[in-house]
Amino acid sequence: MLKISHLRDFQPGDGDGLFDEAPVPGSAEELACFAQLQRRLGPLYERVFPNPRAHRSLVVVPSLSMDPGFLAKIEGVAYYEERLLCLLMLLRLPQTHLIYVTSQPIGAAIIDYYLHLLPGIPGSHARRRLTLLSCHDSSPAPLTQKILERPRLMRRIREAIPDLESAHMTTFNATALERTLAVRLGVPIYAADPALNDLGTKSGSREVFKEAGLEPPDGFERLRDAADIAEALTALKRRHPALRRAVVKHEDGASGEGNAVFSYDGAPSGKALAAWVRTEVPRRLRFEAHDETWARYLAKFEEMGGIVECFIDGEDKRSPSVQCRITPVGEASLVSTHDQVLGGPSGQIFLGCTFPADRAYRLSIQEMGLRVAEVLQRRGALGRFGVDFISVRQGRRWKHYPIEINLRKGGTTHPFLMLQFLTDGTYDPATGCYYTPTGRARFYYASDNLQSALFRGLTPEDLIDIAVDYNLHFHGATQQGVVFHLIGALSQYGKLGVMCIADSHARAQELYHETVEVLHHEARRQTRARSTLYGEAAPLESEA
């Protein structure tokens, strides 16, 4: 790790001292400097954000500063840094400068693809205001850590910012690493203070829900070890004798990867229950993450803690989410609702989403999301966040259980931002729908996990050629069409992100399936050509 010497009189942005000497990470001086920087956001928000011609600079650091064990389970996770390329659409604002930093360089074809989507701005004009920087480091360490270990790279980031007073940084999530980077660059972060990150843990979420007057699934938080897990599972079964399953969750698990399900099938009643649960937990837990083991799972649980709660069953069960935002001037507002597309052994792994959520309940979860936003706003939170629910139909009504707060950007952030940037429309909280400037409703289906072994070997250039040949584009005239993301993961992992925008849910899903069919057709052509060349058997097709 980079060693930073102590400097009592350090101020954000003080020349060479920015890199040679700075407050010790986590020290009282760094916290004071960070608080000073964050106070810039309110005036910046009021002065710059409403004015499309205002000078501004945005430093994008799409670091997934999360537990490396969880991230290692996501195929192609290094390319998730590309998800925030939707922010290149801000270059449509003629006085905006954007600095985008990644672990590895992004291919020129991918950047050209996004710049081509810009409405009303020549690509050459936008490119002059875009600075792409890279650590040239493919290691699994968080991007922000890599940047901090490279003082010369930090200097280049700083030099690319025309005016610090009109600059801010955006990140996927904000941790102590991002706080240190903000102080050394001298720019604030439009995100919650890392000191508040506990509000977005599984236990913190449950506590916020209760403060907001919402009812999460019955359960226990702030658990630390196997004994706590067994005791909580036993107590839940005694409270709910008909309970069939419970879910155990790591405190900071992401996308469902830290979840495991415990079955009570065959459980005894009475005093024998506690001993039975203690014995069965290591054998019965079924993990959402592929190839997980009890030993590894328990070690991570003991490291970060977690919760146990009832597994919500139902014949008609959904997983909607609501996204909100708290501005630097303390205003809480709705952003969007989605129905999440989930997979995995018990349907807890995030695969994609449809927008907006079902009309039967979207307004209900909006109201619940705003109640959560009010609590977070009182606690001092800032920026975008999401609330995930499990919803079960009970007769003609839906029962909603809030299960998690994502105090960061998430899998629903980039598709909704892209919709806004491409269409210039507005979200109407009264209906829960999104409308173009001409009053037309727009819907989308988006996935980060379109994956097939057949896609491996397709390059970004190949994808763009296919898109051109089959007219798989977003069309400004109709404000409908297809937008790709995670393009860099395609060739190595056969993995791709797709967003399909249309005038109805049905048409958006139809467009998605048409896109998948085209990609498989072209991938099979490539496979046949490769097999002919090398005399190989074509690989078995698989898709997630």
Side-chain angles (χ1 to χ4, degrees):
M1 292 291 292
L2 182 68
K3 294 182 179 180
I4 302 297
S5 59
H6 190 79
L7 180 65
R8 184 173 301 277
D9 298 323
F10 171 81
Q11 294 294 325
D14 276 352
D16 290 344
L18 181 65
F19 311 112
D20 299 330
E21 298 191 11
V24 174
S27 67
E29 287 176 276
E30 183 185 73
L31 298 182
C33 287
F34 182 71
Q36 176 184 337
L37 283 172
Q38 293 301 91
R39 284 194 285 271
R40 288 187 197 168
L41 280 174
L44 180 67
Y45 181 81
E46 294 180 309
R47 183 182 76 252
V48 172
F49 279 54
N51 183 0
R53 297 191 60 80
H55 290 266
R56 76 191 80 194
S57 297
L58 178 62
V59 180
V60 183
V61 181
S63 178
L64 278 71
S65 299
M66 305 171 74
D67 181 80
F70 288 134
L71 296 180
K73 299 168 186 174
I74 303 174
E75 276 201 289
V77 68
Y79 294 98
Y80 278 57
E81 293 176 6
E82 293 182 11
R83 291 199 297 184
L84 291 188
L85 284 173
C86 61
L87 294 175
L88 266 61
M89 298 295 99
L90 286 172
L91 292 170
R92 58 192 286 187
L93 304 175
Q95 304 299 330
T96 292
H97 291 259
L98 196 144
I99 301 96
Y100 202 102
V101 192
T102 51
S103 293
Q104 301 182 81
I106 301 173
I110 298 173
I111 298 301
D112 287 343
Y113 175 79
Y114 279 89
L115 295 183
H116 173 74
L117 294 170
L118 283 169
I121 291 287
S124 58
H125 191 281
R127 188 173 283 278
R128 287 199 302 270
R129 294 178 283 112
L130 172 63
T131 301
L132 298 170
L133 295 171
S134 170
C135 299
H136 296 273
D137 182 346
S138 63
S139 71
L143 167 63
T144 307
Q145 179 181 325
K146 298 172 187 176
I147 297 170
L148 289 169
E149 292 172 347
R150 292 165 170 79
R152 292 179 183 272
L153 176 58
M154 284 194 288
R155 184 183 302 281
R156 287 194 287 275
I157 296 171
R158 169 69 183 282
E159 290 172 348
I161 304 172
D163 175 25
L164 284 177
E165 294 301 317
S166 64
H168 73 281
M169 183 163 68
T170 189
T171 58
F172 178 76
N173 61 326
T175 71
L177 289 171
E178 284 70 35
R179 179 174 58 207
T180 295
L181 180 60
V183 168
R184 295 183 190 183
L185 293 178
V187 294
I189 308 175
Y190 192 171
D193 189 323
L196 299 175
N197 280 351
D198 181 70
L199 299 174
T201 63
K202 301 299 188 296
S203 292
S205 296
R206 289 178 57 86
E207 291 165 357
V208 170
F209 295 147
K210 294 171 186 176
E211 185 176 340
L214 304 181
E215 181 186 346
D218 191 14
F220 299 88
E221 54 268 7
R222 307 293 177 188
L223 308 181
R224 301 306 310 175
D225 53 28
D228 285 352
I229 293 173
E231 185 177 344
L233 289 169
T234 301
L236 279 183
K237 183 63 172 174
R238 286 178 172 155
R239 284 183 189 173
H240 309 277
L243 185 65
R244 297 174 54 242
R245 291 183 287 178
V247 60
V248 183
K249 298 180 180 180
H250 283 144
E251 200 71 271
D252 291 318
S255 300
E257 293 283 354
N259 296 2
V261 174
F262 180 81
S263 169
Y264 290 104
D265 288 349
S269 58
K271 294 182 179 180
L273 177 62
W276 181 86
V277 169
R278 286 195 299 271
T279 301
E280 292 296 319
V281 164
R283 299 198 292 237
R284 285 187 174 239
L285 273 188
R286 295 295 177 263
F287 309 104
E288 292 299 307
H290 181 62
D291 289 338
E292 184 62 281
T293 66
W294 165 244
R296 286 199 302 265
Y297 187 86
L298 179 59
K300 185 59 65 177
F301 197 97
E302 291 175 338
E303 175 186 327
M304 65 172 55
I307 67 170
V308 168
E309 60 189 18
C310 293
F311 186 95
I312 303 301
D313 280 310
E315 291 186 8
D316 192 354
K317 186 169 75 168
R318 311 276 181 84
S319 183
S321 67
V322 59
Q323 292 70 46
C324 299
R325 176 178 55 210
I326 301 171
T327 71
V329 294
E331 298 171 342
S333 62
L334 292 162
V335 173
S336 59
T337 66
H338 294 79
D339 277 314
Q340 299 182 92
V341 179
L342 301 179
S346 63
Q348 299 184 70
I349 301 293
F350 179 82
L351 299 179
C353 58
T354 62
F355 169 85
D358 194 306
R359 69 175 67 186
Y361 50 70
R362 69 173 75 121
L363 299 185
S364 297
I365 63 172
Q366 280 188 170
E367 188 272 333
M368 298 171 78
L370 279 178
R371 288 163 68 178
V372 172
E374 290 167 1
V375 173
L376 293 177
Q377 190 273 335
R378 290 197 300 268
R379 300 282 195 94
L382 175 67
R384 292 176 181 266
F385 69 91
V387 182
D388 294 342
F389 297 86
I390 293 295
S391 301
V392 180
R393 188 194 294 273
Q394 297 180 343
R396 300 179 63 181
R397 301 175 63 86
W398 287 85
K399 171 71 174 177
H400 304 290
Y401 298 89
I403 58 170
E404 182 176 3
I405 298 171
N406 292 307
L407 202 60
R408 52 172 171 77
K409 295 178 176 64
T412 58
T413 302
H414 52 284
F416 187 79
L417 284 173
M418 185 59 81
L419 176 69
Q420 288 182 302
F421 291 143
L422 290 173
T423 65
D424 275 331
T426 55
Y427 182 76
D428 178 16
T431 62
C433 290
Y434 182 92
Y435 297 97
T436 69
T438 59
R440 304 291 182 87
R442 285 295 174 264
F443 305 76
Y444 62 73
Y445 183 99
S447 173
D448 287 340
N449 288 276
L450 173 56
Q451 188 171 14
S452 170
L454 289 174
F455 296 166
R456 293 174 188 157
L458 289 173
T459 67
E461 290 82 1
D462 293 333
L463 177 66
I464 292 167
D465 285 345
I466 292 169
V468 171
D469 290 343
Y470 289 89
N471 199 27
L472 298 178
H473 291 301
F474 178 80
H475 301 277
T478 63
Q479 296 198 313
Q480 301 183 68
V482 181
V483 182
F484 296 105
H485 59 278
L486 283 179
I487 298 173
L490 180 60
S491 186
Q492 181 178 353
Y493 295 97
K495 188 173 185 178
L496 183 66
V498 181
M499 175 186 181
C500 297
I501 303 170
D503 56 7
S504 70
H505 272 140
R507 177 54 188 152
Q509 293 197 32
E510 182 181 304
L511 188 56
Y512 175 80
H513 292 304
E514 290 173 1
T515 302
V516 172
E517 184 178 345
V518 164
L519 291 175
H520 276 89
H521 172 73
E522 289 298 314
R524 290 188 190 99
R525 289 181 59 188
Q526 172 179 270
T527 300
R528 286 195 294 269
R530 186 169 57 228
S531 299
T532 300
L533 179 62
Y534 294 106
E536 300 172 346
L540 292 175
E541 180 178 344
S542 66
E543 180 184 342

